Amino acid sequence: MIKTTKFTEIHKSLNAKMVEFAGFTMPIQYPGGIIHEHNIIREKVGIFDVSHMGEFEVKGPQALDYVQKITTNDASKLTIGAVQYSAMCYQDGGIVDDLLVYKIADDEFMLVVNGANIDKDWQWCVDNKAGFDITLKNSSDVISLLALQGPFSRDTLSKLTDSDISEENQKFYSYQMGKVAGVDMIISRTGYTGELGFELYFGGDENTAKKVWDALMDAGKEYGIEAVGLGCRDTLRLEKGYCLYGNDIDNTTNTIEAGLGWITKINKGDFNGKEVILKVKENKPSRHLVGFVVAADKFIPRHGYEIFSGDTQIGHVTSGNLSPTLNKPIGMGYVSPEFREAGSSIEIAARGKRFPAEVIKMPFL
Amino acid sequence: MNFPENLKYTEDHEWVKLEGNIGTIGVTDHAQGELGDIVYIDIPEPDATVNAGDSFGTIEAVKTVAEMYAPVSGKLVEVNSALNDAPETVNADPYGEGWIVKIELSNLAELDKLMDAAAYKAKLGH
C-alpha cells in the first residue's frame, strides 16, 4: 500500500506530478517544473514536503552510549539544541544510512533517517539495542516535516513565530522548540539545499498540516514563495556535493571513500564498523567519490554510467544532472585514487560513446 | 492533453506530419510532459539515412534521458537547429515550433502502420 503524507491532498490540488518514492506518493514537481523550482530555492523561498523522512526517538540513561555505538560522528560533542550530520555503518563498514542526530535532552536523542530506509534502519536500531538501557520509538508515521528553504526563508518564518530565529540566536545545525502559526514544533536550521533554510517537525492531523502550510504560503507570498518538489531537491543537493543514499553511498561504500571522513570520529570510542574503517584509513581507500564537470556538449551523466581513462574502466557515476545554476552538466562518481585530484581527465561512457569530463573539487557551487 | 487529428503517432510517443513526401517529426505532448524540463536535444546532421525504428537522437531532460526512434525510413533533410539554443520549445509547443527533424520518406506505406489520433489517445487511456 502506498503511503500518503498529511499534505498529499494539497499537492494534488496544486497539480503536482506525483510519483512513488520511498513507499510514499510524493510530489516530484509542480507545474512550474524542476528548473523553475530550483531557481525559486536559490533566489527566493520554497516549501518541500519531506514527511516521508523517518524519525526515531532514543530515550534512557544510556541514550548517548547507544547513539555513539550506532553512529560514526561524535554525539558526545552535541549540546541540547544542537544537530549533527552522521552515518550508521554495518560492522563491515558499509553504510546503513546517513542521518541527522538531534540532542533533545541529556538522556534523549532524535534520529532523522531517509524515508526509503525507515524499515531497514528501524530493524538495525532494534537489533543494536541489546545491552543498552534505552527505549526506542519510531515516530515516522506521526511526524510531519516541511523544509522551508531559500534566502527569504527566515523572513517568511519570522512572521509566524515568537521564537528568536535570528542568525545570532540560531546558527546552522541547531534547533529550538517553538510555535509556528500556533503549532508546537521543532524549528531546525537545517536543510539539503545549501541555502538558508529551516526544517519544521510537528505532529497533528491534516487540519494542522494545512494550517501550517497555508500560513507559510501566506507569509512567504511577498517573497514569491512556491511549493517545490523532490526533483529540484536532487539538483540542489548535487550542486552542493551532498551525498544521496542509494546513489552516492550505500551498503557497499564506506564513509572514508565517500568523503565522509569528517563525520567519522575514530577516536571517540567503539562504534559499528570502526575496525574496518580504521583499516581503510590505514591502507588508503581503493576509490574516492569525486565531483566532475562534463566538457562534452549535450550530455548529462546519470547514475550507473561507467567512467573510463583510455581503455580502462576506472569507476562509475553515482549522480549526475544539468546544474541549473551553472548551466553545465555535473556529476559525482567513484574513481581510482590516481584520478581523484582536481584537474584529472576522465571519460563518461554512455550509448556507445565517450564524453570527456574533468574532476573538480566539490562543492560545484 | 492535446492530440492533433492530422498527425500519425508511434508507440514511442513520436508524431509525424506528412506534407508531400516529407514527414515532420516531433515528440508528443504526453512525451514532453513525462520528460519534464528538456535541456538538450542531440540529433544528427542532415543527409543521414534512418530506418524506421532506429534511434536517431536523444532528448536529455533534467529528470531522465530518452532516445528518439525514427517513425519512418528515409533521409534526414532538415533538423530544427533552433532547438540547440531553446530546447524548452519542445515542452512549450511540441506539435509546432518544437518539431525536431524532417525526413524524406522512402516508403509512404510505413505511415499506415502508425496510429491515428484516436488510437494514440486510447493507448494513453484518455
Side-chain angles (χ1 to χ4, degrees):
Chain A
M1 192 154 120
I2 298 176
K3 292 192 198 173
T4 56
T5 75
K6 301 196 168 55
F7 304 98
T8 302
E9 289 309 313
I10 296 176
H11 303 319
K12 288 181 178 166
S13 73
L14 293 170
N15 292 316
K17 183 178 285 181
M18 305 297 285
V19 295
E20 192 186 337
F21 180 77
F24 288 81
T25 178
M26 298 300 289
I28 188 161
Q29 64 168 81
Y30 298 83
I34 294 173
I35 294 175
H36 171 76
E37 291 169 20
H38 180 104
N39 293 332
I40 286 285
I41 297 297
R42 288 273 180 259
E43 294 161 15
K44 297 175 180 176
V45 54
I47 317 181
F48 296 91
D49 172 15
V50 279
S51 304
H52 61 298
M53 301 290 281
E55 295 84 12
F56 303 162
E57 293 167 40
V58 183
K59 204 171 178 178
Q62 288 186 289
L64 174 61
D65 297 337
Y66 173 78
V67 172
Q68 289 288 63
K69 170 81 184 348
I70 62 165
T71 63
T72 58
N73 208 338
D74 187 355
S76 74
K77 300 282 193 228
L78 283 169
T79 53
I80 295 168
V83 189
Q84 185 177 67
Y85 180 56
S86 194
M88 293 195 287
C89 290
Y90 294 107
Q91 293 299 355
D92 70 1
I95 300 172
V96 182
D97 204 358
D98 61 340
L99 72 159
L100 293 182
V101 178
Y102 287 71
K103 182 163 182 174
I104 307 295
D106 282 331
D107 64 349
E108 186 178 353
F109 293 83
M110 177 172 79
L111 312 180
V112 181
V113 303
N114 281 299
N117 293 338
I118 291 174
D119 293 345
K120 168 186 93 165
D121 289 0
W122 177 248
Q123 192 57 51
W124 180 251
C125 285
V126 170
D127 290 347
N128 277 272
K129 184 178 171 294
F132 290 97
D133 185 7
I134 56 154
T135 54
L136 284 174
K137 188 175 164 196
N138 183 352
S139 302
S140 305
D141 285 343
V142 297
I143 295 181
S144 289
L145 176 55
L146 291 179
L148 180 74
Q149 303 279 302
F152 291 98
S153 54
R154 185 186 280 127
D155 295 323
T156 300
L157 193 60
S158 61
K159 289 190 197 176
L160 301 172
T161 183
D162 293 333
S163 299
D164 180 0
I165 58 168
S166 65
E167 176 67 31
E168 295 69 36
N169 192 57
Q170 190 173 4
K171 300 258 188 281
F172 194 42
Y173 270 76
S174 71
Y175 77 90
Q176 58 183 313
M177 304 290 186
K179 278 188 198 293
V180 172
V183 176
D184 287 313
M185 58 183 71
I186 292 176
I187 303 170
S188 174
R189 235 204 91 189
T190 46
Y192 196 43
T193 63
E195 294 299 329
L196 175 66
F198 297 84
E199 293 181 301
L200 308 172
Y201 299 85
F202 53 99
D205 60 9
E206 274 81 358
N207 293 327
T208 307
K210 185 167 170 23
K211 185 175 162 187
V212 175
W213 178 280
D214 288 346
L216 288 169
M217 286 301 242
D218 198 40
K221 205 168 188 174
E222 66 172 298
Y223 310 113
I225 197 168
E226 290 188 27
V228 296
L230 297 181
C232 75
R233 194 169 156 82
D234 192 45
T235 53
L236 288 157
R237 69 92 195 168
L238 179 62
E239 286 185 341
K240 294 292 174 179
Y242 300 156
C243 288
L244 173 62
Y245 193 90
N247 275 39
D248 313 298
I249 50 175
D250 59 30
N251 61 355
T252 69
T253 64
N254 62 62
T255 54
I256 305 304
E257 63 192 18
L260 298 176
W262 63 281
I263 60 162
T264 310
K265 300 295 161 64
I266 295 295
N267 297 324
K268 72 166 182 167
D270 186 38
F271 61 91
N272 289 339
K274 181 181 173 180
E275 276 181 34
V276 176
I277 289 168
L278 255 179
K279 276 196 192 116
V280 172
K281 278 191 92 147
E282 279 168 14
N283 302 333
K284 304 289 179 200
S286 58
R287 56 182 188 169
H288 292 269
L289 187 64
V290 297
F292 58 83
V293 175
V294 175
D297 196 24
K298 298 186 175 185
F299 170 70
I300 295 179
R302 310 274 179 188
H303 179 80
Y305 289 179
E306 294 172 339
I307 302 177
F308 280 83
S309 172
D311 292 333
T312 314
Q313 191 190 342
I314 55 156
H316 65 278
V317 176
T318 55
S319 287
N321 217 317
L322 176 80
S323 158
T325 309
L326 302 171
N327 197 29
K328 278 187 222 167
I330 59 172
M332 290 163 69
Y334 285 95
V335 296
S336 309
E338 58 270 38
F339 297 94
R340 69 177 296 204
E341 297 301 330
S344 301
S345 294
I346 58 174
E347 288 180 320
I348 317 296
R351 301 185 288 277
K353 290 187 229 169
R354 297 284 182 85
F355 301 89
E358 183 184 328
V359 172
I360 69 152
K361 193 172 161 18
M362 287 194 285
F364 298 95
L365 196 66
Chain B
M1 202 170 296
N2 194 1
F3 302 93
E5 289 292 336
N6 57 334
L7 307 181
K8 291 283 202 172
Y9 299 86
T10 72
E11 298 276 336
D12 303 309
H13 312 287
E14 284 103 9
W15 56 263
V16 186
K17 182 169 80 181
L18 189 69
E19 286 159 306
N21 63 340
I22 304 292
T24 303
I25 289 155
V27 300
T28 66
D29 194 17
H30 169 80
Q32 71 76 21
E34 287 298 303
L35 287 167
D37 292 336
I38 292 170
V39 291
Y40 300 126
I41 295 177
D42 194 10
I43 30 182
E45 295 297 311
D47 284 342
T49 304
V50 295
N51 291 313
D54 283 358
S55 166
F56 71 94
T58 50
I59 299 186
E60 293 270 15
V62 173
K63 223 166 46 182
T64 188
V65 59
E67 304 239 8
M68 291 179 287
Y69 299 96
V72 289
S73 308
K75 192 170 89 169
L76 242 158
V77 290
E78 198 178 340
V79 302
N80 186 355
S81 53
L83 299 181
N84 285 330
D85 293 328
E88 65 276 11
T89 309
V90 176
N91 290 121
D93 189 10
Y95 299 119
E97 295 294 314
W99 66 274
I100 292 169
V101 292
K102 293 186 181 180
I103 292 177
E104 186 181 296
L105 273 69
S106 56
N107 179 4
L108 287 172
E110 282 177 351
L111 277 179
D112 298 337
K113 296 177 193 159
L114 304 180
M115 288 175 273
D116 61 14
Y120 181 62
K121 202 170 165 178
K123 174 190 150 67
L124 294 180
H126 283 272

